[in-house]
Amino acid sequence: MPLDTAAAQHLWMAGAIGMMTLAVMIRATLGHTGRRLVAGPGAKLILLAVLVASVTRIVAGIGVGSAGWLYHLSAAAWCTAFFGYALVYGAALFSARRAAVQA
């Protein structure tokens, strides 16, 4: 089945750009707050949520049966990723910078 235009846009914009944006935000937060540049479990779950959002949106766009629930799952995973970033890294952004740590 061909991929519709909206699903292809979501793959590029929500998937690739969203994933890269969160990866850069995580890296910048760790670096600018003096923390080790290591992706912890929180970062991995955040990036996994974006991946789940992208894949479920693409599958929904292909038109597999009743795809309404896939759109909702995709939106929930997308929101979870960005809210997860705020929860995991928000405290670091509002606290004092740590002494520089070697990566």
Side-chain angles (χ1 to χ4, degrees):
M1 291 183 188
L3 191 63
D4 70 343
T5 305
Q9 283 180 323
H10 277 82
L11 176 62
W12 174 244
M13 294 176 193
I17 294 173
M19 180 79 75
M20 184 54 71
T21 300
L22 276 168
V24 169
M25 289 167 53
I26 291 167
R27 165 51 178 93
T29 300
L30 293 173
H32 287 284
T33 59
R35 287 161 173 75
R36 294 190 65 218
L37 303 178
V38 176
K44 292 174 185 175
L45 288 173
I46 289 166
L47 297 174
L48 179 64
V50 175
L51 179 64
V52 167
S54 300
V55 169
T56 54
R57 177 58 182 88
I58 298 307
V59 171
I62 292 172
V64 178
S66 176
W69 69 275
L70 288 171
Y71 289 116
H72 292 291
L73 177 60
S74 178
W78 178 258
C79 292
T80 299
F82 282 89
F83 285 126
Y85 170 81
L87 288 173
V88 172
Y89 295 102
L93 292 170
F94 289 103
S95 64
R97 178 180 166 83
R98 294 182 179 179
V101 177
Q102 296 295 326

